Amino acid sequence: MVENKLGRQIPEPYASQYGVYTGEFTHIKHYQRAAAKVQPVKPRQPKLMQSIHDAIVATGLKDGMTISFHHHFREGDYVMNMVMAEIAKMGIKNLSLAPSSISNVHAPLIDYIKSGVVTNITSSGLRDKLGAAISNGIMANPVVIRSHGGRARAIASGDIHIDVAFLGAPSADEYGNINGVNGKATCGSLGYAKIDAKYADKVVAITDTLVPYPNTPIAIPQTDVDYVVQVDAIGDPKGIAKGAARFTKDPKELLIAQYAAQVITASDYFKPGFSFQTGSGGSSLAVTRYLKQAMEKQNVHASFALGGITSAMVSLMRAGLVDNLLDVQDFDHPSAESLAEDPHHYEIDAEMYASPLSKGSVINQLDVAVLSALEVDTKYNVNVITGSDGVIRGASGGHSDTAAACKMSLVIAPLIRGRIPTIVDDVNTVVTPGASVDVVVTEVGIAINPKRQDLMAMFKDLNVPQFTIQELRDKAYAVTGTPAKIHYGDRPVALIEYRDGTLIDVVNHV
Amino acid sequence: MVENKLGRQIPEPYASQYGVYTGEFTHIKHYQRAAAKVQPVKPRQPKLMQSIHDAIVATGLKDGMTISFHHHFREGDYVMNMVMAEIAKMGIKNLSLAPSSISNVHAPLIDYIKSGVVTNITSSGLRDKLGAAISNGIMANPVVIRSHGGRARAIASGDIHIDVAFLGAPSADEYGNINGVNGKATCGSLGYAKIDAKYADKVVAITDTLVPYPNTPIAIPQTDVDYVVQVDAIGDPKGIAKGAARFTKDPKELLIAQYAAQVITASDYFKPGFSFQTGSGGSSLAVTRYLKQAMEKQNVHASFALGGITSAMVSLMRAGLVDNLLDVQDFDHPSAESLAEDPHHYEIDAEMYASPLSKGSVINQLDVAVLSALEVDTKYNVNVITGSDGVIRGASGGHSDTAAACKMSLVIAPLIRGRIPTIVDDVNTVVTPGASVDVVVTEVGIAINPKRQDLMAMFKDLNVPQFTIQELRDKAYAVTGTPAKIHYGDRPVALIEYRDGTLIDVVNHV
């Protein structure tokens, strides 16, 4: 075992293989960008394949390779299950699966793990049945959990080498020009898929909307695509928009949002040209709404809003309060539509969004980020991956990326959920280190990380109750009692990579 | 000496180093894409440098390295001379210069060659005083002439490794997001610069129009740029638009254009959804105009027009006759403006335009290309690089790329220029092999390459005089007499690369 800087125990040989977390920016070094092996396409050589089977054969996919998918279709995705079924039928085994994330709909993966088709997984997160099965130990090798920026880094630096990327394409032409804004199942930005297309040796575009050449706008160009396959349906539009939050009426969520908006607007960052990322979820949408009110009232407009784009952000741009939306993925249908229509709504890839090894990601320019949490501990460490039962059910997302890079990070969470405290002595699993977290916002008040003495001074007269993080924990425990320790087994089922590639924590089986 | 497939003598050691031309598509092989060495940029780390000097120091530029520039500013470019003056002042020597092309305004390079600052050059072309000086032998090492697609291939495959790219940026923000459509000196598309930005280890954006972050639209993203420098002026708008052709009134040029348009519209390629590249120059613009008339009359609209975009092509898009413009560079100001305004006017990079080693370039989808020539010989080989005196004064451009990949290539040229024949027994220098040339169009009539028996049948009843290429040569020689041989020396001053990287010809000193 090697103890990392946060006191987390990292077992060998993983500690040696990945290195262990030593700080937010201690592993940012020169590197040689990875690159694809390219099979050039000559004039008159077609890319259109008759079936997914034919495309898989054409790619030369074989045992032991790494394949990838994007998660822009979320709970509406048909592509991963469709391709995996064909791969399983073809008898290919021992694959590494490297999607940008995995949703509930991908529960069939459990069978492919059991049958040896899939023997390694890296993902932003795991949900539901698959998360539970993996936490229960069905895989011999631990899953590697990577942040969105961390995944882009891993691909760009060669830590993940994708042999074949399968890309669900809302629209494509026969030569592989793709966008996410036209078609039967539109998802808007293809920000995560762009990276796979750029770095994978072989890229297969799977579409249900084949359009005449050239398909514009071009989110992913023909020069990044080897084969095109037409299928009946790549996704369920309802599932793609599923989870798109509506404006909350929950008084607790509204209070959290109001406090968060007060923190933001009282800060020195809130001035003309400021920038923010508020994300999805009930409270986050409400923060965006409250921000809108303050921006209108004080005539402060933002240079850009980032991320995960929601209709609430779009409405700010439409109101002239935000100059640009920089969009790595869309959380709802109105956002996807806005990307199609508004030239100031701009599609960016995951590397530009958040990679710590890029020549400067957008998060480096970000003033304020509002992030959620399953747990926050008294060291300000945040868990967004494991539940209170120790089971993997969340996703790393852009949490640790944004928190590390922005000028002020707010972690918003209710003090307790049901009978479970959110503010605790030690989070089950660290995804984001406390060093990256500036203000914790709950419905009873806020706690400012003592390392940010400047913020303490800035918010001296703020009309929001302020506590130490220990006081917030005490308030939570006063309701729930001190939570019992989770009884983990001794076998690692997930390695939690920090965005720089080192291990910040490990999840054992339950 | 090694004789290549066209009977051209390629001296050792160049024949061994590059290989010699063996056919249009015989050297298209698997390869590993090259990639930049990246120095990541952390949050709060600035990219804005106080001067070109400071930026050069920051890049670590030193003796023997390779630097690049783009030629989108053409005769209005200030950037290359400005940077080279600073480099010379700093005493850096023995540099390889790899711009996408070189213009008349870059004559100061002669001094940097003489003083040993520049010891190697690769470019699409050489003009005027510099071309003459190099043809006269001022360089110890021959210049390597590459087509636009060949340069993209050379960079993508690692044959050219750019250590530092200096990019004139019509507008940029402090973090390096660049476009060519806003600013004091706009050039429109940055298609050639995009490749440098993507593959160079270090990239310096030089702008006279620094705008607030984020600068959109983003032609070159911040993730491809290391440093930004603000200067007073990067270019002269008048020089950028210089050479933009007006509609010709020369009866000879009009006749050539009319014949070319007749060939195109009588071909099977001329049907709804067809595509074309017509290029710049008086006759080319006239072809576009005649095409427009035919398209309107016959209600045939094109899926895309490609290339070098001109206002004539823009007017076709505006008239609803062309669905998309795919734009690697703009030849005039109205085209640059259209790129800024019309979402169907689309900026593409040089690799997507024409690289023979990409996963499929746009030229592979092209129906008809209209190309110019300095000379065409009876084997249909084309020279666009050396004058009748053997001096290098032209540019390879996209000539050999487009000719090889499109379905029907037209080479348009007057039979004679002054007292100099254009149709000859043997061109001085082969840039495009006869295998790629389908129809030669002159003011007296056309010659169809006998290898295209299908076209001969197609144009059987065409109302344009038809000759063999030998007959066209005879008509030319009847006026000019048989041209005297150029007396070259024995020292190679330029290697003419075919787009696949092999040598198609060599130019000796005169």
Side-chain angles (χ1 to χ4, degrees):
Chain A
M1 289 286 177
V2 178
E3 188 175 284
N4 72 15
K5 201 189 176 188
L6 303 178
R8 301 278 157 161
Q9 302 298 320
I10 313 297
E12 292 288 2
Y14 307 115
S16 298
Q17 186 184 341
Y18 292 83
V20 303
Y21 174 77
T22 56
E24 288 171 287
F25 301 107
T26 48
H27 267 75
I28 307 298
K29 310 226 166 87
H30 267 93
Y31 73 108
Q32 168 87 40
R33 228 181 241 157
K37 286 187 282 290
V38 176
Q39 172 66 58
V41 175
K42 296 181 194 177
R44 259 55 84 206
Q45 185 181 327
K47 294 187 181 183
L48 192 66
M49 297 281 123
Q50 287 308 306
S51 65
I52 289 177
H53 175 88
D54 289 0
I56 294 170
V57 171
T59 63
L61 182 70
K62 50 176 196 278
D63 292 5
M65 283 187 166
T66 297
I67 61 174
S68 81
F69 300 87
H70 69 72
H71 75 290
H72 291 286
F73 297 147
R74 286 180 295 277
E75 294 300 342
D77 180 48
Y78 295 166
V79 174
M80 195 195 297
N81 291 342
M82 196 158 40
V83 171
M84 290 310 300
E86 183 58 39
I87 286 174
K89 211 169 102 187
M90 291 169 72
I92 300 170
K93 299 270 181 184
N94 194 22
L95 293 177
S96 291
L97 190 66
S100 52
S101 201
I102 294 177
S103 306
N104 295 341
V105 291
H106 300 125
L109 284 176
I110 295 172
D111 291 336
Y112 304 129
I113 293 167
K114 287 182 178 166
S115 60
V117 176
V118 173
T119 46
N120 285 280
I121 294 179
T122 178
S123 174
S124 166
L126 297 171
R127 308 284 185 178
D128 199 38
K129 294 196 186 82
L130 179 64
I134 286 170
S135 275
N136 291 336
I138 59 161
M139 293 192 74
N141 303 316
V143 167
V144 182
I145 298 294
R146 290 179 161 110
S147 72
H148 289 326
R151 179 178 188 266
R153 173 205 57 72
I155 293 172
S157 66
D159 286 355
I160 299 176
H161 175 77
I162 302 169
D163 294 293
V164 185
F166 295 94
L167 306 184
S171 68
D173 60 40
E174 290 195 7
Y175 221 45
N177 292 297
I178 295 172
N179 70 55
V181 298
N182 299 321
K184 295 182 211 165
T186 56
C187 58
S189 176
L190 288 167
Y192 298 117
K194 278 166 172 269
I195 294 300
D196 300 43
K198 195 169 160 187
Y199 288 96
D201 288 345
K202 291 279 163 43
V203 177
V204 180
I206 299 172
T207 191
D208 55 13
T209 306
L210 199 65
V211 302
Y213 184 91
N215 181 29
T216 55
I218 302 170
I220 294 172
Q222 62 189 49
T223 40
D224 281 347
V225 175
D226 296 272
Y227 303 106
V228 179
V229 181
Q230 189 174 17
V231 297
D232 290 337
I234 56 168
D236 171 12
K238 281 193 201 112
I240 294 173
K242 200 167 161 180
R246 299 186 176 277
F247 191 65
T248 182
K249 288 179 179 162
D250 178 338
K252 206 201 272 188
E253 288 192 335
L254 286 173
L255 197 53
I256 294 171
Q258 194 186 309
Y259 285 162
Q262 277 182 270
V263 168
I264 296 168
T265 55
S267 77
D268 294 350
Y269 306 114
F270 188 70
K271 62 186 178 199
F274 88 114
S275 57
F276 64 93
Q277 170 171 327
T278 41
S280 64
S283 290
S284 297
L285 283 183
V287 173
T288 312
R289 283 235 191 160
Y290 288 128
L291 259 186
K292 186 179 181 186
Q293 292 167 9
M295 290 167 79
E296 279 169 340
K297 201 168 154 189
Q298 298 177 45
N299 194 26
V300 168
H301 79 133
S303 56
F304 70 93
L306 174 65
I309 299 299
T310 61
S311 55
M313 289 159 146
V314 169
S315 80
L316 261 72
M317 182 174 66
R318 292 208 173 131
L321 295 168
V322 171
D323 293 343
N324 293 279
L325 297 180
L326 299 180
D327 183 351
V328 70
Q329 71 173 313
D330 292 290
F331 284 131
D332 49 38
H333 193 64
S335 305
E337 282 182 325
S338 165
L339 178 64
E341 291 157 14
D342 196 319
H344 291 283
H345 187 157
Y346 222 80
E347 191 167 352
I348 61 171
D349 67 34
E351 198 172 2
M352 178 153 168
Y353 169 47
S355 170
L357 287 196
S358 79
K359 289 182 174 181
S361 299
V362 178
I363 53 172
N364 292 0
Q365 293 287 328
L366 186 67
D367 288 326
V368 178
V370 178
L371 302 160
S372 60
L374 293 173
E375 294 179 314
V376 185
D377 71 20
T378 51
K379 280 71 70 181
Y380 286 86
N381 297 320
V382 179
N383 169 24
V384 287
I385 193 81
T386 48
S388 61
D389 52 1
V391 171
I392 304 166
R393 57 165 50 90
S396 176
H399 202 287
S400 64
D401 301 307
T402 319
C406 76
K407 298 204 183 81
M408 181 173 73
S409 65
L410 276 59
V411 170
I412 60 172
L415 199 65
I416 57 169
R417 286 188 177 91
R419 296 291 300 172
I420 298 164
T422 304
I423 316 294
V424 296
D425 282 319
D426 287 288
V427 291
N428 288 330
T429 312
V430 185
V431 171
T432 297
S436 302
V437 175
D438 297 320
V439 184
V440 173
V441 183
T442 73
E443 73 277 20
V444 302
I446 66 170
I448 301 171
N449 191 328
K451 85 181 171 73
R452 292 300 302 267
Q453 290 294 319
D454 59 327
L455 293 182
M456 291 201 163
M458 206 182 277
F459 298 135
K460 203 161 32 78
D461 302 321
L462 185 70
N463 187 23
V464 172
Q466 297 189 32
F467 302 98
T468 65
I469 192 76
Q470 290 77 10
E471 288 169 339
L472 287 182
R473 172 207 55 197
D474 292 345
K475 283 175 184 289
Y477 284 10
V479 180
T480 64
T482 302
K485 275 231 159 213
I486 297 166
H487 291 288
Y488 284 106
D490 55 3
R491 202 149 69 75
V493 294
L495 309 177
I496 313 295
E497 256 197 29
Y498 187 58
R499 59 197 299 261
D500 65 5
T502 62
L503 295 183
I504 196 162
D505 211 341
V506 169
V507 181
N508 279 6
H509 82 276
V510 285
Chain B
M1 289 287 175
V2 177
E3 189 176 283
N4 71 15
K5 200 188 177 187
L6 303 178
R8 301 277 157 162
Q9 302 297 321
I10 312 297
E12 291 289 359
Y14 306 115
S16 298
Q17 186 183 341
Y18 292 83
V20 303
Y21 173 77
T22 56
E24 288 171 287
F25 301 108
T26 49
H27 267 73
I28 308 299
K29 309 227 168 87
H30 267 94
Y31 72 109
Q32 167 87 39
R33 225 180 243 158
K37 286 188 280 291
V38 176
Q39 171 66 59
V41 175
K42 295 180 195 178
R44 258 57 83 206
Q45 185 182 328
K47 294 187 180 183
L48 192 66
M49 298 282 122
Q50 287 308 304
S51 65
I52 288 176
H53 175 89
D54 290 359
I56 293 171
V57 171
T59 62
L61 182 70
K62 51 176 194 278
D63 292 7
M65 282 186 167
T66 297
I67 62 175
S68 81
F69 300 88
H70 69 72
H71 75 289
H72 291 285
F73 298 147
R74 286 181 295 276
E75 294 300 343
D77 180 49
Y78 295 166
V79 174
M80 196 195 298
N81 291 342
M82 196 159 41
V83 171
M84 290 310 301
E86 184 58 40
I87 286 174
K89 210 169 101 187
M90 290 168 74
I92 300 170
K93 299 269 182 187
N94 193 23
L95 293 178
S96 291
L97 190 65
S100 51
S101 202
I102 293 176
S103 307
N104 295 339
V105 291
H106 300 127
L109 284 176
I110 295 172
D111 290 336
Y112 304 129
I113 292 167
K114 288 180 177 166
S115 60
V117 176
V118 172
T119 46
N120 286 281
I121 294 180
T122 178
S123 175
S124 165
L126 296 170
R127 310 283 184 178
D128 200 38
K129 294 196 186 81
L130 179 64
I134 285 170
S135 276
N136 291 335
I138 59 162
M139 293 193 75
N141 304 316
V143 167
V144 181
I145 299 294
R146 289 179 162 110
S147 72
H148 289 325
R151 179 178 190 265
R153 173 205 58 73
I155 294 172
S157 66
D159 286 356
I160 300 175
H161 175 79
I162 302 169
D163 294 294
V164 185
F166 296 94
L167 307 184
S171 69
D173 61 41
E174 290 195 8
Y175 221 46
N177 292 298
I178 295 172
N179 69 56
V181 296
N182 300 320
K184 295 181 210 163
T186 56
C187 58
S189 177
L190 289 167
Y192 298 117
K194 279 167 172 268
I195 294 299
D196 301 42
K198 196 170 160 187
Y199 289 97
D201 287 345
K202 290 280 164 41
V203 176
V204 180
I206 299 171
T207 191
D208 54 14
T209 306
L210 198 66
V211 303
Y213 183 91
N215 181 28
T216 55
I218 302 169
I220 293 172
Q222 62 188 48
T223 39
D224 282 346
V225 175
D226 295 273
Y227 304 106
V228 179
V229 182
Q230 189 173 17
V231 297
D232 291 337
I234 55 168
D236 172 12
K238 281 194 202 110
I240 293 175
K242 200 167 162 180
R246 298 186 177 277
F247 191 65
T248 182
K249 289 180 180 162
D250 178 337
K252 205 200 276 188
E253 289 192 334
L254 286 173
L255 198 53
I256 293 171
Q258 195 185 308
Y259 285 162
Q262 278 182 265
V263 169
I264 295 169
T265 55
S267 78
D268 295 349
Y269 306 115
F270 188 68
K271 61 186 179 198
F274 89 114
S275 57
F276 63 94
Q277 170 172 329
T278 42
S280 63
S283 291
S284 297
L285 284 183
V287 173
T288 313
R289 281 234 191 162
Y290 287 128
L291 258 186
K292 186 178 179 186
Q293 291 167 11
M295 291 167 79
E296 278 169 341
K297 202 167 151 190
Q298 299 179 43
N299 194 26
V300 168
H301 79 133
S303 57
F304 70 93
L306 173 66
I309 299 298
T310 62
S311 55
M313 288 162 148
V314 169
S315 80
L316 261 70
M317 183 174 64
R318 291 207 174 131
L321 295 168
V322 172
D323 292 343
N324 292 279
L325 297 180
L326 299 180
D327 183 351
V328 70
Q329 72 172 312
D330 291 290
F331 284 130
D332 50 37
H333 193 63
S335 304
E337 283 182 326
S338 165
L339 179 64
E341 291 158 13
D342 195 320
H344 291 283
H345 188 157
Y346 222 82
E347 192 166 351
I348 61 171
D349 67 34
E351 199 174 1
M352 179 154 167
Y353 169 47
S355 169
L357 287 196
S358 79
K359 290 183 174 181
S361 299
V362 178
I363 52 172
N364 293 0
Q365 293 287 327
L366 186 66
D367 288 325
V368 178
V370 178
L371 302 160
S372 60
L374 293 173
E375 292 178 315
V376 186
D377 70 20
T378 51
K379 279 71 71 182
Y380 286 85
N381 297 319
V382 179
N383 169 24
V384 288
I385 194 81
T386 48
S388 60
D389 52 1
V391 171
I392 304 167
R393 56 165 52 91
S396 176
H399 202 288
S400 64
D401 301 308
T402 319
C406 76
K407 297 204 184 81
M408 181 173 75
S409 65
L410 276 60
V411 169
I412 60 172
L415 199 65
I416 57 169
R417 287 189 177 89
R419 296 292 300 173
I420 298 165
T422 303
I423 316 294
V424 296
D425 283 319
D426 287 288
V427 292
N428 289 331
T429 312
V430 185
V431 171
T432 296
S436 302
V437 175
D438 297 320
V439 185
V440 173
V441 183
T442 73
E443 73 278 21
V444 302
I446 65 170
I448 301 171
N449 191 328
K451 86 178 173 76
R452 292 299 302 267
Q453 290 294 318
D454 59 327
L455 293 182
M456 291 204 165
M458 207 182 277
F459 299 135
K460 202 162 33 77
D461 303 320
L462 185 70
N463 187 25
V464 173
Q466 297 189 32
F467 303 97
T468 65
I469 192 78
Q470 289 78 10
E471 287 168 340
L472 287 182
R473 173 208 54 198
D474 292 344
K475 284 174 183 290
Y477 283 11
V479 180
T480 64
T482 303
K485 275 231 156 212
I486 299 165
H487 291 288
Y488 284 107
D490 56 2
R491 201 149 69 74
V493 294
L495 310 177
I496 313 296
E497 257 197 25
Y498 187 58
R499 59 198 298 260
D500 65 5
T502 62
L503 295 183
I504 196 162
D505 212 341
V506 169
V507 181
N508 279 6
H509 82 275
V510 284

